[in-house]
Amino acid sequence: MALTQYTYDDYTVAILCALESDRDAVRYMFDEEHERLPSRKGDPNSYILGELHGHNVVLACLPSQQGKAAAAIVAAHLSRSFLSVKWRLFVGTGGGVPSAKFDIRLGDVVVSMPEGGHTGVIQHDLGRATISGFEPKGFLWPIPSILRNAAQDMHSDHLGRDNKIEEYMNIMFEKWPGMTSYKQPPEADILFPSHIPHSSGTSTCTGGCDTSQAITRPARQFEGPEIHYGLIASGDLVVKNATVRDEISQRFGGVLCFEMEGAGLMSEYPSIVIRGISNYADSHKNDIWQRYAAATAAACAKELLSLIILEAPAAKPALAIKDTEISTGVVVRRQGLPNVEHGNVGIWR
């Protein structure tokens, strides 16, 4: 079946991803994929186009390199080509920061939300090291009110019912059997105390780490990923050290996850960041949960967009209908500007 083709001006939502695995998770969440458009001069980005809950979405992925600068460049090219984009989301994976307040686990999702004077994303590696401590610098745009309101509505909805992450993922797996690598991995979700490093020479914790030292966490009431809302730390530093992770988190009053691109996007455009948790930003970090976390983040983004009501198309102004009386006594219905009386004949100008 032929794909539907739209124009550049028909797309109002932009989703950016750092990795191909993140992009593919979003792509195969599309309700419908659209025909690609001819490239525009000066724009090196590659785009995948589609629809999510009635919203026309342009999907872009960073080219090979990661970080804030790469995200800002891709976002700038996209915005010059797609002038009608209103809402921007950065969707992908991140390193979680479990705490007594937030029981974050692998596969859960973190949505950036304002807290403590921050806009939802913190650029943790930009600032001044002073005698009194670290002073952050820089400006990040706040989350657009429509996206923030949708996130708040989603949070409220989930107090009374389950989120739709597993529902959307099951639809994707049924529709696209080749996406089975994005299913939850069989490996255990193991969290170690901050002072317990990963055993050298092994890629996974089950292959060498002493799991008897792992933190025991209670079983959850409901199965499936949970969605958390709060601060996300963004920077070019890859955090694989639990001590550094906790120190940075405490510096900003508690962050929920680490990632590397959100600040690059939000330094230029109002946006929201959605991250699936694929590791705990410690020395035990590996890629086993990467694809599953990418899928949970994509499903969360899809549910978020379902809560944004499509705007009705602007009504065309009605043309004035006037009765023009001709000298013969016949009344003719005409459209146009008000007539100007001239003698016994109505003249339209």
Side-chain angles (χ1 to χ4, degrees):
M1 186 174 66
L3 299 179
T4 306
Q5 186 171 53
Y6 292 87
T7 70
Y8 276 92
D9 292 335
D10 291 322
Y11 292 87
T12 56
V13 176
I15 298 180
L16 282 76
C17 299
L19 304 173
E20 289 184 15
S21 56
D22 301 338
R23 177 204 61 193
D24 292 343
V26 175
R27 177 182 185 178
Y28 291 103
M29 284 287 169
F30 280 169
D31 301 315
E32 177 187 347
E33 187 165 318
H34 298 163
E35 188 74 34
R36 300 199 185 188
L37 294 168
S39 60
R40 287 194 160 172
K41 184 178 180 180
D43 184 353
N45 291 348
S46 176
Y47 301 110
I48 297 175
L49 309 171
E51 179 182 312
L52 284 171
H53 286 294
H55 299 280
N56 286 340
V57 177
V58 50
L59 173 62
C61 183
L62 273 57
S64 66
Q65 70 265 38
Q66 297 173 262
K68 303 189 300 290
I73 291 171
V74 169
H77 286 306
L78 185 152
S79 297
R80 283 194 293 268
S81 293
F82 293 86
L83 300 178
S84 297
V85 165
K86 300 177 181 178
W87 305 303
R88 296 168 177 83
L89 298 79
F90 209 105
V91 180
T93 59
V97 186
S99 64
K101 183 178 180 181
F102 293 98
D103 179 26
I104 294 175
R105 305 192 184 186
L106 299 183
D108 284 359
V109 180
V110 173
V111 178
S112 64
M113 287 295 283
E115 188 172 318
H118 301 290
T119 61
V121 172
I122 298 166
Q123 191 167 349
H124 67 83
D125 57 356
L126 179 63
R128 299 186 183 92
T130 68
I131 296 176
S132 58
F134 183 84
E135 295 180 359
K137 291 179 60 180
F139 169 81
L140 297 179
W141 284 95
I143 301 170
S145 57
I146 289 181
L147 293 178
R148 186 183 66 248
N149 292 340
Q152 291 172 338
D153 290 344
M154 186 166 67
H155 190 193
S156 176
D157 289 348
H158 297 161
L159 296 177
R161 61 170 175 79
D162 290 346
N163 62 60
K164 295 185 177 181
I165 290 177
E166 289 192 316
E167 175 186 338
Y168 288 150
M169 290 179 67
N170 288 334
I171 292 172
M172 179 182 72
F173 296 141
E174 182 177 351
K175 186 177 180 181
W176 305 105
M179 293 293 288
T180 55
S181 62
Y182 285 78
K183 288 187 175 182
Q184 182 173 337
E187 285 78 7
D189 175 4
I190 304 174
L191 173 64
F192 287 92
S194 299
H195 66 278
I196 303 295
H198 181 67
S199 177
S200 60
T202 61
S203 59
T204 64
C205 292
T206 54
C209 296
D210 183 1
T211 55
S212 67
Q213 300 184 75
I215 296 174
T216 301
R217 292 176 288 180
R220 284 179 165 174
Q221 183 178 1
F222 302 104
E223 295 183 359
E226 293 188 1
I227 302 174
H228 309 270
Y229 303 81
L231 300 180
I232 292 178
S234 183
D236 290 323
L237 178 70
V238 178
V239 179
K240 296 180 61 175
N241 184 314
T243 302
V244 173
R245 175 199 70 193
D246 294 343
E247 188 276 325
I248 295 175
S249 176
Q250 293 169 9
R251 179 192 304 166
F252 294 100
V255 302
L256 277 62
C257 84
F258 284 83
E259 55 94 74
M260 298 178 64
E261 291 81 22
L265 176 61
M266 296 184 70
S267 64
E268 303 295 332
Y269 306 98
S271 317
I272 195 167
V273 178
I274 299 175
R275 294 287 184 174
I277 301 305
S278 62
N279 61 82
Y280 292 119
D282 58 10
S283 61
H284 305 275
K285 180 181 184 295
N286 59 59
D287 295 333
I288 293 175
W289 288 73
Q290 183 86 27
R291 288 178 176 243
Y292 176 69
T296 61
C300 179
K302 182 172 183 175
E303 182 169 3
L304 180 74
L305 290 176
S306 74
L307 296 172
I308 299 177
I309 306 301
L310 290 169
E311 295 181 357
K316 295 182 179 179
L319 295 174
I321 304 297
K322 295 294 182 179
D323 292 343
T324 303
E325 183 175 350
I326 309 300
S327 58
T328 58
V330 178
V331 176
V332 182
R333 300 288 292 179
R334 298 288 301 276
Q335 292 184 344
L337 299 173
N339 65 325
V340 179
E341 294 295 329
H342 185 76
N344 293 327
V345 181
I347 300 177
W348 289 79
R349 296 179 179 176

